[in-house]
C-alpha cells in the first residue's frame, strides 16, 4: 500500500483479542520458509494485514439461504428466482458481473495457474463488498451506473486515510473512501501494489484502469488474492487472502459462506435483477455515500437500532461474531418443516392434513412454467474474410473490421459486446477520432466495426477484437496503409506573359515567377517541382554558376547569402499554383534560363533578362 497505518475500530476487548490472534497467525504463516524459496515465488507478498484492501469499511453481512429449495409450510416464497424460474434467487448473478468474475479467473488462470483462483471466490467477495455491484447496476461496458463508495475513512470506526487521489476516484478531497464493486481504496488501486504501481488492472481491454468497472476491479481483486505465491485450494492461503481484503473474522466467515454457496450452483440473471442485500455490518460508524452504512436498507427503511445490525437467525454480535454451524444459522428463520413431503399435500405423521399449497381434487391444474432457455455464451470469435484490410493514406478502408461470435457448436451468438482496439503504431481512427469502439453482435453473430479511416502513417498494423463480457479468445485482423500515389502533372505554364527583367546586382520583383501545373487539363495539386538555373546549351543544359540565383531559406549566418542555383522541395497548392521564392542576381548581365521540371517529365523554361549595372 502507499502508506502504512493502524486501523482504529471501536470494538470491545473480545474483538481486540480475536484480531490479535488472527494477526499473530498471519504473521507466523508468513515467516521465512513458510511458502518455499524466494525463487519459487510468482510475485511479491501482499501488503501487511493491518492495511486491508477496502480500508476496513463496512460490508454486507447477509448469509446465503439453506440448501433446501423447499419453502416453509404456508410460505409464499418458492425458493426460486422469479426472473428465471431457477433457484434459489440468491444464486442468481447479474450477467455482466458474472462474466467479469469468470473472465478475471480465466485471465489469471493463464498467467498464474498455480494460484487456482476460482471465480466463485470473486463472487463471494463481490457479494459482501457491494452486493454484486448493487444487483448488477452496470452498463454494457461493466461500469457502475452510479458510484459505489464506502464510508469516509476518517478514523471514526474505520481506518484513517487522508486523501491520496485528489478526489479522482472517490470525489472526496479530505479522506479516502473505498471505491467500486470490489471496494478498493484509491491509494491501493493507484500506487499500493508491491512494486509501487498499484493493484489497478485493465480487465476489459479498453486501455483504462477504472475501479468503478467490474471487469477491471475483478481482475485487480484476483491479482491481490493470488499475491505472495498463494494456492487458493489450500485453506490457509485462502483464509489469508480473504483476511488481507478485510481483516475481520466475521468478514472471513461471511465471504467463505457465500463462496461455498456459489460453488454449489449459480445461474445468470439480467443485469439489475439480482437480489439486493439488506443487512449491514455493525460496530462501525461513519457516513455512507455508497449505501453501505450499518442498519440501513436499500429502500431507506431502518434496519434496527444504531450500532446494531439485525442478523437473520444468529446470535452473534460485532464484538462476538457467531460462528457458522453453531450459534449463527444462515436462513434459520426460513427453516422448512422436517417431515413435510413436497407435492403430496400430506404430512406422514399427520394423515389427512391438507397442504395449503396442494391442488384441490377436480380443480384445473396450472401448467408448469417452462424454464427459460439457457443464454448462449460465445466460445470463439472468428474473423470474417481471409484477406487483410488495405487502403491508402488519408482514405477510408473499403471493408470494415468484422468478426463472428459463435458457441462451442459453431452456432452464431447474438447480443455479444465486442470491442475493436487499434494499436498505438497507427494513426488510423474510427469515427470521432476513437481508437476503440464496442459493438454488439447481430442475429447472425456478426460484430461490424464502424468505418475505419487511415491517417498519414503508412505500414502494417493489427486490429484486436475481443469480447467484453466473456472469455472467448481475442482475434486480430491485419490492416495495411499504403502511401498515396505521387500527384502527377503533364504540363507547366506561367500564369503571366510579362517579361522578367532585373539589373545586375539587384533582385527580380518579389514572387516574379508564378506557374500552374495541370494533369489532363485539370489543376494538379501537391506536385513536386524542381527549379534550376541552367546554361543556354539546348542539348545539354547544366546548372549555371553565373547569373540569377536563389538563397537557401534554411541557411544561417554567412551561408544565408551563398548563391543557390537549384531549389527542390517546391510543391503546388490545391489549385496547382506555385510562386517561386525571390530571385537575386550577381554582377553578370545577359539572358539566363530558369528550368522547371516535375518527376513526370513536365518541363517549363523561363527567360530571365539581367541588364548591366549603371556605369559598368
Amino acid at each position: 500500500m502507499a502508506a502504512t497505518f493502524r486501523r482504529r475500530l471501536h470494538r470491545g476487548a473480545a474483538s481486540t483479542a480475536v484480531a490479535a490472534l488472527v494477526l499473530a497467525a498471519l504473521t507466523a504463516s508468513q515467516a521465512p520458509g513458510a511458502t518455499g524459496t524466494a525463487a519459487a515465488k510468482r510475485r511479491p507478498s501482499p501488503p501487511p494485514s493491518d492495511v486491508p484492501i477496502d480500508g476496513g469499511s463496512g460490508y454486507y453481512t447477509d448469509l446465503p439461504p439453506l440448501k433446501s429449495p423447499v419453502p416453509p409450510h404456508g410460505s409464499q416464497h418458492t425458493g426460486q428466482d422469479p426472473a428465471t424460474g431457477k433457484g434459489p434467487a440468491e444464486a442468481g448473478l447479474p450477467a455482466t458481473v458474472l462474466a467479469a468474475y469468470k473472465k478475471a479467473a480465466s485471465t489469471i488462470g493463464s498467467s498464474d495457474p498455480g494460484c487456482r483462483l476460482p471465480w466463485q471466490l470473486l463472487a463471494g467477495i463481490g457479494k459482501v463488498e457491494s452486493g454484486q455491484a448493487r444487483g448488477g447496476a452496470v452498463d454494457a461496458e461493466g461500469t457502475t451506473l452510479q458510484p459505489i463508495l464506502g464510508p469516509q475513512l476518517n478514523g471514526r470506526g474505520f481506518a484513517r486515510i487522508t486523501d491520496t487521489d485528489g478526489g479522482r476516484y472517490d470525489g472526496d478531497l479530505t479522506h479516502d473512501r473505498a471505491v467500486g464493486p470490489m471496494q478498493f481504496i484509491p491509494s491501493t488501486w493507484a500506487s499500493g501494489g508491491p512494486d509501487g504501481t498499484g493493484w489497478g488492472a485493465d480487465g476489459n481491454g479498453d486501455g483504462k484502469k477504472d475501479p468503478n468497472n467490474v471487469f477491471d476491479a475483478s481482475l485487480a481483486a484476483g491479482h491481490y488474492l493470488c499475491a505472495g505465491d498463494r494456492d487458493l485450494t489450500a485453506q490457509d492461503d485462502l483464509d489469508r487472502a480473504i483476511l488481507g481484503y478485510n481483516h475481520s473474522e466475521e468478514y472471513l466467515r461471511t465471504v467463505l459462506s457465500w463462496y461455498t454457496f456459489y460453488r454449489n450452483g449459480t445461474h445468470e440473471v439480467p443485469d439489475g435483477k439480482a437480489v439486493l442485500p439488506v443487512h449491514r455490518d455493525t460496530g462501525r460508524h461513519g457516513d455512507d455515500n455508497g449505501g453501505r452504512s450499518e442498519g440501513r436498507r436499500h429502500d431507506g427503511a431502518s434496519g434496527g437500532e444504531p450500532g446494531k445490525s439485525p442478523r437473520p437467525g444468529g446470535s452473534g454480535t460485532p464484538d462476538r461474531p457467531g460462528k457458522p454451524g453453531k450459534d449463527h444459522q444462515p436462513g434459520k428463520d426460513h427453516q422448512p418443516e422436517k417431515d413435510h413431503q413436497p407435492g403430496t399435500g400430506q404430512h406422514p405423521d399427520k394423515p389427512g392434513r391438507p397442504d395449503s399449497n396442494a391442488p384441490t381434487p377436480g380443480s384445473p391444474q396450472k401448467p408448469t412454467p417452462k424454464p427459460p432457455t439457457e443464454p448462449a455464451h460465445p466460445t470463439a470469435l472468428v474473423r470474417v474474410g481471409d484477406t487483410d484490410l488495405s487502403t491508402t493514406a488519408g482514405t477510408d478502408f473499403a471493408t470494415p473490421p468484422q468478426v463472428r461470435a459463435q458457441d462451442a457448436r459453431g452456432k452464431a451468438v447474438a447480443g455479444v459486446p465486442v470491442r475493436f482496439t487499434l494499436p498505438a503504431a497507427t494513426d488510423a481512427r474510427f469515427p470521432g477520432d476513437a481508437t476503440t469502439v464496442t459493438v454488439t453482435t447481430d442475429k447472425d453473430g456478426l460484430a461490424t466495426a464502424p468505418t475505419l479511416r487511415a491517417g498519414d502513417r503508412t505500414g502494417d498494423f493489427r486490429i484486436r477484437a475481443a469480447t467484453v463480457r466473456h472469455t472467448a479468445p481475442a482475434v486480430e485482423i491485419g490492416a495495411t496503409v499504403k502511401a498515396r500515389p505521387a500527384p502527377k502533372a503533364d504540363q507547366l505554364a506561367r500564369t503571366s506573359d510579362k517579361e522578367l527583367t532585373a539589373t545586375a546586382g539587384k533582385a527580380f520583383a518579389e514572387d516574379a515567377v508564378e506557374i500552374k501545373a495541370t494533369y489532363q487539363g485539370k489543376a494538379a495539386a501537391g506536385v513536386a517541382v524542381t527549379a534550376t538555373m541552367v546554361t543556354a546549351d539546348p542539348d545539354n543544359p547544366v546548372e549555371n554558376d553565373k547569373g540569377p540565383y536563389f538563397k537557401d531559406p534554411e541557411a544561417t549566418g554567412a551561408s544565408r547569402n551563398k548563391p543557390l542555383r537549384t531549389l527542390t522541395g517546391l510543391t503546388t497548392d490545391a489549385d496547382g499554383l506555385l510562386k517561386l521564392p525571390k530571385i537575386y542576381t550577381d554582377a553578370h548581365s545577359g539572358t539566363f534560363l530558369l528550368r522547371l521540371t516535375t518527376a513526370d517529365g513536365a518541363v517549363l523554361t523561363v527567360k530571365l533578362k539581367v541588364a548591366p549595372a549603371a556605369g559598368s
Side-chain angles (χ1 to χ4, degrees):
M1 308 302 246
T4 59
F5 53 85
R6 296 191 177 274
R7 300 171 64 215
R8 291 190 276 183
L9 302 178
H10 301 288
R11 295 183 175 179
S15 178
T16 304
V18 170
L21 289 173
V22 175
L23 180 57
L26 289 177
T27 304
S29 67
Q30 294 175 0
T35 56
T37 63
K41 292 186 179 296
R42 296 186 298 276
R43 57 169 64 87
S45 296
S49 59
D50 63 344
V51 187
I53 198 169
D54 65 0
S57 297
Y59 49 85
Y60 292 105
T61 58
D62 277 10
L63 291 176
L66 296 177
K67 286 185 178 180
S68 173
V70 182
H73 177 67
S75 172
Q76 298 300 313
H77 300 287
T78 65
Q80 303 294 307
D81 190 335
T84 64
K86 302 175 182 179
E90 288 84 350
L93 295 175
T96 301
V97 177
L98 176 59
Y101 296 151
K102 289 184 176 181
K103 188 166 188 175
S106 175
T107 300
I108 293 175
S110 298
S111 62
D112 187 8
C115 176
R116 298 179 177 88
L117 170 69
W119 66 261
Q120 292 91 341
L121 178 58
L122 294 174
I125 289 176
K127 176 71 173 181
V128 174
E129 290 290 346
S130 68
Q132 310 300 16
R134 289 179 178 155
V138 297
D139 61 20
E141 302 287 324
T143 302
T144 56
L145 301 179
Q146 294 180 342
I148 300 177
L149 300 176
Q152 191 179 67
L153 299 176
N154 53 18
R156 295 193 291 273
F158 309 104
R160 176 178 175 80
I161 309 178
T162 56
D163 178 56
T164 62
D165 65 334
R168 174 185 177 187
Y169 296 117
D170 57 12
D172 195 321
L173 297 176
T174 60
H175 294 82
D176 274 350
R177 297 171 182 261
V179 179
M182 301 304 272
Q183 290 291 279
F184 275 82
I185 305 173
S187 57
T188 308
W189 183 268
S191 60
D195 58 358
T197 59
W199 290 100
D202 178 14
N204 61 358
D206 64 355
K208 297 182 292 185
K209 298 178 180 179
D210 183 4
N212 296 297
N213 182 278
V214 70
F215 289 93
D216 295 356
S218 297
L219 182 59
H223 284 312
Y224 183 89
L225 294 168
C226 288
D229 196 29
R230 289 185 182 129
D231 177 356
L232 297 181
T233 60
Q235 190 63 47
D236 287 346
D237 280 359
L238 178 62
D239 290 351
R240 276 206 310 274
I242 297 171
L243 285 168
Y245 216 102
N246 189 310
H247 195 167
S248 160
E249 283 268 329
E250 184 183 28
Y251 180 86
L252 171 63
R253 290 195 299 273
T254 306
V255 169
L256 286 176
S257 68
W258 281 107
Y259 168 51
T260 302
F261 177 72
Y262 289 139
R263 286 181 65 124
N264 288 330
T266 61
H267 57 273
E268 180 181 300
V269 298
D271 290 341
K273 300 297 184 181
V275 174
L276 292 175
V278 173
H279 302 296
R280 307 292 178 183
D281 187 26
T282 60
R284 301 164 186 263
H285 307 286
D287 59 341
D288 176 8
N289 236 9
R292 284 165 43 109
S293 63
E294 68 280 2
R296 188 178 302 166
R297 298 164 53 101
H298 275 283
D299 56 13
S302 173
E305 299 177 24
K308 292 186 178 182
S309 172
R311 300 291 305 277
S315 60
T317 67
D319 293 337
R320 301 178 182 272
K323 297 182 179 180
K326 288 189 177 182
D327 54 345
H328 191 155
Q329 300 295 328
K332 186 175 181 180
D333 48 353
H334 293 297
Q335 175 70 37
E337 297 185 27
K338 290 183 179 179
D339 298 323
H340 180 223
Q341 302 298 314
T344 66
Q346 301 284 336
H347 289 257
D349 59 339
K350 298 181 180 180
R353 177 182 174 183
D355 187 340
S356 60
N357 291 322
T360 304
S363 62
Q365 299 294 316
K366 293 182 179 180
T368 302
K370 184 179 180 181
T373 303
E374 188 72 21
H377 295 283
T379 59
L381 288 180
V382 180
R383 57 172 293 181
V384 177
D386 297 328
T387 306
D388 286 350
L389 310 181
S390 180
T391 193
T392 57
T395 63
D396 294 340
F397 285 86
T399 303
Q402 188 179 58
V403 295
R404 181 176 184 265
Q406 61 187 38
D407 60 18
R409 294 176 295 175
K411 292 186 177 181
V413 183
V416 178
V418 176
R419 175 176 289 111
F420 294 90
T421 304
L422 301 174
T426 182
D427 58 355
R429 293 293 183 266
F430 293 113
D433 202 34
T435 57
T436 63
V437 293
T438 301
V439 297
T440 303
T441 57
D442 60 17
K443 61 182 180 60
D444 297 318
L446 295 176
T448 305
T451 301
L452 178 63
R453 185 173 183 82
D456 294 327
R457 195 177 302 173
T458 60
D460 299 332
F461 63 93
R462 311 288 289 179
I463 305 166
R464 187 175 187 270
T467 59
V468 174
R469 297 182 180 178
H470 304 283
T471 58
V475 297
E476 292 187 341
I477 303 169
T480 300
V481 177
K482 301 176 182 178
R484 296 183 182 93
K488 295 182 178 181
D490 55 14
Q491 187 174 3
L492 295 175
R494 283 188 63 198
T495 58
S496 171
D497 57 0
K498 183 178 180 181
E499 188 178 57
L500 299 173
T501 61
T503 302
K506 305 258 178 158
F508 286 84
E510 191 83 23
D511 300 333
V513 179
E514 183 184 59
I515 63 170
K516 183 172 185 177
T518 57
Y519 181 71
Q520 296 180 352
K522 296 182 179 179
V527 175
V529 177
T530 299
T532 306
M533 302 295 178
V534 297
T535 60
D537 185 348
D539 297 324
N540 186 28
V542 296
E543 184 179 270
N544 198 342
D545 60 354
K546 299 179 179 62
Y549 62 92
F550 302 103
K551 289 184 179 181
D552 187 351
E554 298 181 358
T556 58
S559 299
R560 294 184 61 183
N561 294 319
K562 184 178 179 180
L564 184 68
R565 290 188 166 86
T566 297
L567 197 60
T568 59
L570 304 171
T571 307
T572 59
D573 64 15
D575 297 320
L577 298 175
L578 170 64
K579 290 183 178 180
L580 267 61
K582 191 172 185 179
I583 300 174
Y584 300 86
T585 67
D586 58 14
H588 297 85
S589 59
T591 300
F592 301 89
L593 301 179
L594 169 62
R595 192 169 186 257
L596 303 163
T597 60
T598 69
D600 299 308
V603 179
L604 172 65
T605 301
V606 179
K607 290 184 179 181
L608 301 174
K609 294 185 177 181
V610 180
S616 62

